[in-house]
């Protein structure tokens, strides 16, 4: 059954912030070491950064990278990672040695090479509020005080100008080292925020939040005036202990009420009249949680094969199929729909583990999710506009990983335009693994050129790997738009229809 679709570019819903397509990089497994930071590899530059990874990040115009964690940060002391001599420390979160050869200065240098904003998450686990503000001194004071002077001595006379800072990671979680109670959290955040702002009043501060009244309501009530952001995280297909990915249908079940975390958080912001004053940074999201058995749970792994070796399983590219691409497009559509309050989102992570890019000694694998960012950053408009469909979207009963049945819409549609040029771009995701879908378009004007960009593979379980490129973007010219134009959306596909 065809869906009649009317797009009205005059009815603007929101202008999305480019940081909606942000990313995350943690000191975990091969994201930093043997990942972006690979000194000695012929593909690396004079600073040891993989130039092929940087180029791939530039192609999807990475706007911001959050670093250094994640759980890692809750026992990280930033001062170990600066200066001429770097002494290795023990990373108590992930239970490995941290060489400290990639630290603040290297991270900021990397961001400047990519052309993205650095976003630093601070240690609210074992760290002190003064350690956080010292970090701001080191990065942002021109020359006052010992930390700015130290940065200058380390070869960085100009301040790093780090604008985005998060107070803590998931300090609400039992798994986080140095976790805090809902009673402790607001006071710690407020005092940290005061100190950091006294160093640099221009910094934009976030704090770990939850769609949970006990934790977040108190945070907002006591810290609202000090925060520009609250940070939300979500993974749907939970695999920390068992690396058994949800299959395609179960992955689609995870799209059921995909924005409920945002809706709950924005409800709290609304109730305290903070919407518009505090934005949401969804600064860790991915369909698949990372695999790191016996490190977040008791008993902890003792033998390295219990808890360290299994982390290599995250590198198995066959797990990242069209399910990851379709799910990620649905999530980004949802964030665009909430673009009036969600101003940043960070795919977790960008490189290796469950990332959009996988690096190996001789090159890269661009996984299915990488191409979603390529489409959304380079082909979709920046202004979300209203759309009307004449019929209910087709429903599909799917079985979740937990065996429960869910009813999801098999199409996910988002209409956009550009703030600086004419035309529209429709993101159209067909979740169904077998059935194509057809849309019949009505636009205010006729005669513009229609082009369909389709991300797909031969089947829903297709994936990219070394020497295997099953998933990619095809471009199809559809001629000039006329009222009633019919467009077919293939099964298990992510599409951007441009009419410009
Ligand atoms: O699995 C990785 C972890 O997920 C991140 O370090 C943490 O922020 C989240 O719980």
């Amino acid at each position: 059954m065809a869906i009649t679709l009317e797009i009205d570019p005059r009815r603007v819903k929101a202008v999305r912030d480019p940081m909606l397509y942000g990313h995350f990089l943690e000191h975990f497994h091969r994201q930093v070491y043997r990942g972006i930071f690979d000194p000695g590899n012929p593909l690396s530059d004079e600073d040891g950064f993989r130039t092929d990874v940087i180029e791939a990040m530039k192609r999807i115009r990475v706007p911001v990278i959050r670093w250094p964690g994640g759980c890692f940060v809750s026992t990280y002391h930033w001062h170990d990672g600066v200066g001429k001599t770097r002494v290795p420390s023990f990373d108590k979160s992930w239970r490995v040695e941290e060489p400290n050869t990639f630290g603040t200065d290297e991270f900021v240098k990397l961001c400047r090479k990519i052309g993205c904003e650095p976003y630093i998450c601070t240690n609210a686990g074992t760290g002190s509020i003064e350690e956080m503000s010292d970090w701001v001194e080191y990065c942002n004071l021109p020359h006052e005080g010992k930390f700015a002077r130290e940065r200058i001595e380390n070869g960085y006379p100009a301040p790093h100008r780090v604008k985005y800072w998060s107070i803590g990671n998931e300090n609400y979680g039992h798994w986080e080292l140095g976790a805090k109670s809902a009673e402790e959290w607001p006071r710690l955040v407020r005092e940290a925020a005061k100190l950091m702002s006294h160093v640099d009043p221009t910094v934009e501060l976030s704090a770990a939040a939850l769609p949970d009244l006990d934790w977040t309501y108190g945070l907002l009530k006591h810290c609202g005036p000090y925060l520009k952001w609250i940070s939300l995280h979500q993974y749907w297909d939970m695999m920390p202990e068992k690396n058994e990915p949800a299959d395609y249908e179960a992955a689609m079940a995870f799209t059921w009420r995909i924005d409920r975390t945002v809706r709950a958080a924005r409800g709290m912001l609304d109730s305290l009249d903070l919407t518009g004053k505090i934005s949401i940074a969804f600064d860790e999201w991915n369909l698949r949680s990372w695999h790191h058995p016996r490190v977040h749970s008791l008993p902890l792994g003792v033998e390295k094969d219990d808890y360290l070796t299994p982390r290599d399983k995250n590198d198995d590219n066959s797990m990242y199929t069209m399910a990851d691409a379709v799910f990620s497009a649905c999530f980004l559509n949802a964030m665009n729909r909430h673009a009036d309050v969600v101003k940043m989102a960070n795919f977790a992570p960008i490189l290796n583990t469950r990332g959009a890019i996988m690096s190996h000694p001789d090159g890269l694998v661009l996984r299915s999710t990488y191409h979603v960012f390529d489409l959304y950053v380079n082909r979709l408009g920046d202004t979300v506009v209203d759309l009307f469909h004449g019929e209910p979207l087709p429903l599909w009963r799917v079985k979740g990983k937990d065996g429960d049945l869910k009813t999801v819409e098999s199409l996910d549609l988002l209409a956009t335009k550009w703030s600086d040029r004419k035309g529209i771009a429709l993101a159209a995701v067909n979740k169904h693994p077998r059935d194509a879908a057809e849309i019949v378009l009505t636009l205010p004007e006729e005669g513009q050129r229609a082009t369909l960009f389709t991300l797909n593979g031969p089947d829903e379980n297709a994936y990219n790997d070394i020497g295997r490129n099953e998933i990619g973007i095809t471009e199809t010219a559809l001629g000039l738009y006329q009222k009633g134009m019919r467009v077919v959306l293939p099964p298990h596909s992510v599409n951007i229809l441009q009419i410009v």
Side-chain angles (χ1 to χ4, degrees), residues 145-286:
K146 65 178 179 180
F147 294 108
R149 282 175 163 74
E150 202 176 317
R151 183 197 68 246
I152 295 166
E153 282 160 26
N154 291 339
Y156 301 90
H160 287 326
R161 301 187 319 283
V162 179
K163 178 177 177 183
Y164 303 103
W165 296 79
S166 172
I167 298 168
N169 184 53
E170 299 173 351
N171 303 90
Y172 44 76
H174 63 83
W175 56 86
E176 197 85 7
L177 300 186
K180 298 294 181 291
S181 68
E183 294 71 33
E184 293 171 307
W185 189 235
R187 182 161 171 72
L188 183 153
V189 170
R190 188 175 57 190
E191 295 315 303
K194 283 157 61 177
L195 271 169
M196 294 166 85
S197 304
H198 273 235
V199 172
D200 180 355
T202 69
V203 295
E204 292 195 11
L205 300 177
S206 185
L210 269 177
D212 169 275
L213 276 170
D214 292 337
W215 180 268
T216 301
Y217 205 77
L219 171 69
L220 292 172
K221 276 189 75 171
H222 292 86
C223 307
Y226 298 91
L227 298 176
K228 286 287 283 180
W229 305 83
I230 52 171
S231 291
L232 298 176
H233 293 176
Q234 191 165 357
Y235 299 89
W236 284 258
D237 185 12
M238 295 308 293
M239 292 191 276
E241 298 301 325
K242 291 184 180 171
N243 193 48
E244 296 165 357
D247 64 15
Y248 183 88
E249 182 172 335
M252 292 305 104
F254 284 123
T255 66
W256 182 71
R257 298 175 63 215
I258 198 170
D259 68 344
R260 62 185 179 280
T261 295
V262 168
R263 281 191 284 112
R266 74 176 300 160
M268 285 185 258
L269 290 169
D270 287 345
S271 68
L272 290 167
D273 194 25
L274 290 170
T275 310
K277 299 176 187 130
I278 290 182
S279 299
I280 291 172
F282 212 118
D283 54 28
E284 280 187 37
W285 70 270
N286 195 318

Side-chain angles (χ1 to χ4, degrees), residues 26 70-72 94 169-170 175 233 235 284 290 292 296:
E26 178 162 0
C71 293
F72 168 80
W94 295 122
N169 184 53
E170 299 173 351
W175 56 86
H233 293 176
Y235 299 89
E284 280 187 37
W290 305 358
H292 36 62
H296 272 171

